Amino acid sequence: MNATDRRRPLLFFAGFLIVSLVVAGLVSSFASPDPDGLDTVARDGCTAVATPDGGERLEGTCIAAHESDHAMASSPLAGYSVVGGEGTTGVAGVAGVLVTVVVAGGVFLLLRRRDG
């Protein structure tokens, strides 16, 4: 295998990483803050009632009436933002791509076939 043959996959993966980071940084900034279809369906059959502390409580017989925060709800990247900040979905998208690339790259390195 000559140097050109070894460089092609590296160039492909570098280009893939750059495109992924640009898409994650730019496109995720346009993500809708409104509930998605799953949230809407989970709230079918309930009515949202305002609470004195400024929040809301669900009344009725819907799936979402029994929801609670998950264990990672207070983590820095919870809610598709960075530390709960408005307008940080692009940064969270880039962080997600980088974490995915590092984890997947580590797994591929561990599982790669070695000659000899």
Side-chain angles (χ1 to χ4, degrees):
M1 182 183 278
N2 61 33
T4 305
D5 290 340
R6 275 185 256 139
R7 234 180 314 198
R8 279 196 180 145
L10 291 176
L11 288 174
F12 171 77
F13 289 120
F16 178 78
L17 179 63
I18 290 168
V19 169
S20 298
L21 290 172
V22 168
V23 168
L26 294 178
V27 174
S28 62
S29 298
F30 297 107
S32 173
D34 297 327
D36 63 356
L38 180 59
D39 289 339
T40 303
V41 170
R43 288 175 173 242
D44 280 351
C46 280
T47 306
V49 177
T51 59
D53 63 354
E56 71 175 24
R57 181 182 73 245
L58 296 175
E59 291 183 350
T61 57
C62 66
I63 299 168
H66 306 290
E67 72 181 354
S68 62
D69 283 340
H70 57 81
M72 301 296 288
S74 61
S75 69
L77 297 176
Y80 303 109
S81 62
V82 177
V83 194
E86 291 291 321
T88 59
T89 54
V91 177
V94 168
V97 166
L98 292 175
V99 168
T100 302
V101 166
V102 167
V103 170
V107 170
F108 288 138
L109 285 175
L110 287 173
L111 298 176
R112 72 180 175 189
R113 188 178 340 184
R114 297 194 176 124
D115 295 334

